[in-house]
Amino acid sequence: MRWFLKVFLVLALALGLSACGGSGKFRKYNGPEVTSVQVHKAARKMYLLHNGRVLESYDIALGFAPEGHKQFEGDGKTPEGAYYITHRNPNSAFHLSLGISYPNTADRAFAEEAGKSPGGDIFIHGGPRRPISRRDWTEGCIAVTDKEMEVIYAMVKPGTVIHILP
């Protein structure tokens, strides 16, 4: 009978602890406001800043053709320039994501002059669902791990400026 009581107590404790587990991928952040994001493509680094002071830094993956500025849909490049975070996407195909305001007016005009689409749907997002064999694998987005994306998602608000540098 004692073994039954021990098993029951262990199960009750396990269920109780799992019920107290947080809200999964949605974290809270109470630190300094992220006033800008900087992406350094050549170094494969992203920095979250508060008035020029680095709060966090991350290793990143980029579009599968990382050199140069994104110009057209399907070119595999990550944009370069000043943009802003448009929205949070809790239902991303890549865990969580933050929208980037590409294409801007100049990007659209350049692509239109060439008779092409500039593309769109550029995000900061979590990692792939399957193993990958190359360093840069996105269609033009900026990727981090899922755990890192949870922190970034909590820290960065829509409207935050993002500078994507070569």
Side-chain angles (χ1 to χ4, degrees):
M1 187 65 162
R2 284 188 142 203
W3 68 269
F4 178 77
L5 183 58
K6 286 181 183 180
V7 169
F8 175 77
L9 288 175
V10 168
L11 287 174
L13 181 62
L15 286 172
L17 288 175
S18 68
C20 293
S23 57
K25 63 185 178 180
F26 300 104
R27 298 181 183 209
K28 293 191 185 319
Y29 175 70
N30 295 316
E33 176 187 10
V34 174
T35 56
S36 66
V37 176
Q38 280 190 11
V39 173
H40 296 252
K41 288 172 55 173
R44 303 300 190 281
K45 295 293 269 186
M46 180 172 66
Y47 303 94
L48 307 185
L49 299 112
H50 172 75
N51 296 332
R53 182 174 59 95
V54 174
L55 299 173
E56 297 288 342
S57 67
Y58 301 96
D59 293 326
I60 59 171
L62 299 169
F64 61 82
E67 291 184 22
H69 174 58
K70 181 166 194 61
Q71 296 177 325
F72 309 116
E73 183 174 11
D75 65 9
K77 296 182 182 298
T78 300
E80 295 173 357
Y83 297 93
Y84 63 92
I85 301 301
T86 58
H87 65 287
R88 290 178 168 154
N89 180 5
N91 300 313
S92 172
F94 295 99
H95 193 58
L96 294 169
S97 63
L98 297 172
I100 297 175
S101 63
Y102 176 88
N104 61 26
T105 304
D107 298 321
R108 279 192 281 284
F110 181 84
E112 185 177 309
E113 188 174 302
K116 297 184 177 185
S117 167
D121 287 336
I122 302 297
F123 290 86
I124 301 170
H125 62 64
R129 301 254 186 258
R130 64 193 187 302
I132 53 168
S133 61
R134 58 183 179 212
R135 176 173 159 184
D136 294 313
W137 57 271
T138 76
E139 298 290 322
C141 296
I142 299 159
V144 294
T145 69
D146 287 352
K147 291 293 181 198
E148 291 168 337
M149 191 61 222
E150 291 172 7
V151 174
I152 295 163
Y153 191 89
M155 291 178 74
V156 179
K157 296 180 180 167
T160 303
V161 174
I162 178 169
H163 298 278
I164 306 172
L165 308 170

